[in-house]
Amino acid sequence: MCRASEIGCHDDEDNGFKADPPYRVDQPLLDRSLTPSYTRAVKLGRREFSATVALGLHILARRASAQGSAKPPRVGYLGSRNPRSTKAFFDGLQEQGYVRGQNFLLEFRAPERPDKYEEFPGLAAQLVAAGVDVILAATPSAIEATTRATRTIPIVGVDLESDPVAKGWAASLAHPGGNFTGFVLDIPEMSGKQLQFLKEVKPDLSRVAVFGDPRVNELQWKATEAAARGAGLTIQALSVRDVGEVPGAIAEAARQRAGALVVLTSPLVFNNLGRITEAAVKHRIPAICPFAPAFADAGGLIAYGPDLPDLYRRAAGYVGRILKGAKAGDLPVQRLDKFQLVVNLKTARALHLTLPQSLVLRADHVID
């Protein structure tokens, strides 16, 4: 029987063929009665055969040498240090056939702290100097830095805060052109849904505090402000540039009698969810944030937003396609369309709130 590893091997019995009988040792290779001219022809054929074999071995050796010297692709990752997101990214690459350390190398760069936006240009320059073949830019600041650092290296962006066309990163969502593509959030629709959920929790809601980082949240702020006007709500801006400002900002919202808190997305927020939710519960302010499920897992009342691990898996899919020859400018920038609603009943009890059953039943996940 032949083994599966033997390429071109066939099992004679399985294929209905009878194997040739073994050659007898005493059987001469050539009949002694063969003519001299035929014998010379056989010798010539052997010389040609030897030359062919030698040439084939030479070609195989050159191919093996070329394959052995070929460098594995180098993937750049510029963002923040988040194990859940990076794991999802690696899982997505593996689905594309790329395994870290086996057939691709990773160049990871992150600022000392997620709110150290001024470090991104230098980190982007390092990735360009390292000769990476493609870059995953996982924050707005990372995208801004990498698009300025290179016009040739393909960039796949993950951005919940920006409009890539308004920023000049893409000519259009459908046909970005250039070296950028990625995944972005439909911010106006998201803002309206967040306020809707808060109104369901507190039907008499009239004042909402909006917590964000002014360095990256301008678009989200404007969208939330417009949605609040449409819902007849007054909003209070809480601008935070440093993690140390979090407790004071939320305490100010409580002093101003804000009935609820909308937390905008930013690297600073994502890496300090526990501090934000702790302060919100302390001052008995129901809060909502698009970081789902992370915000609710950290103690926030409601998380409604894109499935972040799925987002990074999809971004890895674009990276894999680019490594296989696709051009970033030919891949459309995609608006996120997979969202999840997570509610935390433990937090609701701590806030002395009873969530509407209709809201709980619509949740994709309930923490109790």
Side-chain angles (χ1 to χ4, degrees):
M1 300 290 290
C2 77
R3 295 187 297 274
S5 61
E6 294 175 348
I7 300 175
C9 176
H10 301 282
D11 190 301
D12 293 329
E13 293 183 11
D14 291 348
N15 288 284
F17 296 111
K18 184 178 180 181
D20 292 330
Y23 190 84
R24 297 198 317 271
V25 175
D26 59 344
Q27 180 179 345
L29 293 175
L30 290 173
D31 194 316
R32 297 179 186 277
S33 63
L34 291 176
T35 62
S37 61
Y38 184 81
T39 301
R40 285 194 301 273
V42 171
K43 290 180 179 179
L44 180 61
R46 287 176 178 169
R47 286 196 298 270
E48 291 174 342
F49 175 76
S50 299
T52 302
V53 169
L55 178 61
L57 291 174
H58 177 67
I59 292 173
L60 288 174
R62 290 186 62 183
R63 287 180 179 174
S65 176
Q67 291 174 355
S69 61
K71 294 182 179 180
R74 197 175 291 267
V75 175
Y77 188 119
L78 181 57
S80 58
R81 303 179 189 277
N82 181 265
R84 182 180 295 185
S85 299
T86 52
K87 181 183 183 304
F89 179 66
F90 292 144
D91 289 345
L93 280 177
Q94 190 162 350
E95 292 170 5
Q96 294 286 315
Y98 292 97
V99 180
R100 181 184 179 186
Q102 293 186 17
N103 56 359
F104 87 91
L105 301 177
L106 180 73
E107 291 284 348
F108 183 89
R109 298 291 188 277
E112 181 182 350
R113 286 193 347 225
D115 58 337
K116 290 284 187 179
Y117 300 143
E118 66 275 10
E119 294 182 11
F120 279 99
L123 297 173
Q126 290 179 21
L127 291 179
V128 173
V132 296
D133 298 285
V134 60
I135 298 173
L136 177 79
T139 70
S141 299
I143 298 172
E144 184 72 33
T146 52
T147 54
R148 290 187 178 187
T150 177
R151 296 289 184 182
T152 55
I153 299 173
I155 300 166
V156 177
V158 174
D159 189 352
L160 305 183
E161 292 85 33
S162 310
D163 180 341
V165 177
K167 286 283 190 179
W169 303 334
S172 70
L173 297 184
H175 305 285
N179 64 326
F180 173 83
T181 186
F183 298 84
V184 297
L185 184 63
D186 188 337
I187 294 171
E189 180 183 356
M190 174 66 60
S191 301
K193 292 291 291 184
Q194 287 180 316
L195 294 177
Q196 174 190 322
F197 289 133
L198 290 175
K199 287 280 285 183
E200 289 185 42
V201 172
K202 296 186 70 173
D204 61 346
L205 183 66
S206 61
R207 185 180 182 87
V208 177
V210 181
F211 180 103
D213 184 338
R215 293 170 292 182
V216 296
N217 285 141
E218 180 182 0
L219 187 59
Q220 285 189 12
W221 165 257
K222 289 180 178 179
T224 305
E225 185 180 34
R229 282 198 305 268
L233 298 171
T234 301
I235 62 173
Q236 173 189 353
L238 302 176
S239 295
V240 176
R241 294 173 177 266
D242 186 88
V243 64
E245 301 172 4
V246 170
I250 296 179
E252 179 62 24
R255 283 192 291 271
Q256 295 289 332
R257 298 185 180 276
L261 177 68
V262 173
V263 180
L264 306 181
T265 62
S266 72
L268 184 151
V269 165
F270 188 76
N271 289 275
N272 293 282
L273 292 175
R275 292 177 183 233
I276 296 168
T277 58
E278 181 181 352
V281 171
K282 176 182 177 181
H283 294 284
R284 295 192 176 181
I285 303 177
I288 188 170
C289 178
F291 284 132
F295 185 71
D297 288 342
L301 180 65
I302 303 173
Y304 177 73
D307 183 334
L308 288 179
D310 178 70
L311 170 58
Y312 278 85
R313 280 191 292 270
R314 291 172 64 184
Y318 263 17
V319 170
R321 290 174 65 178
I322 289 170
L323 290 177
K324 293 173 183 177
K327 294 182 178 179
D330 294 338
L331 300 175
V333 176
Q334 296 190 31
R335 287 195 183 278
L336 304 178
D337 55 6
K338 185 177 181 180
F339 301 91
Q340 57 178 330
L341 173 63
V342 185
V343 297
N344 191 321
L345 295 184
K346 292 173 61 177
T347 299
R349 289 191 292 270
L351 295 171
H352 303 291
L353 288 173
T354 300
L355 299 187
Q357 191 64 15
S358 59
L359 178 62
V360 176
L361 291 175
R362 283 170 13 232
D364 299 287
H365 182 56
V366 176
I367 300 172
D368 194 355

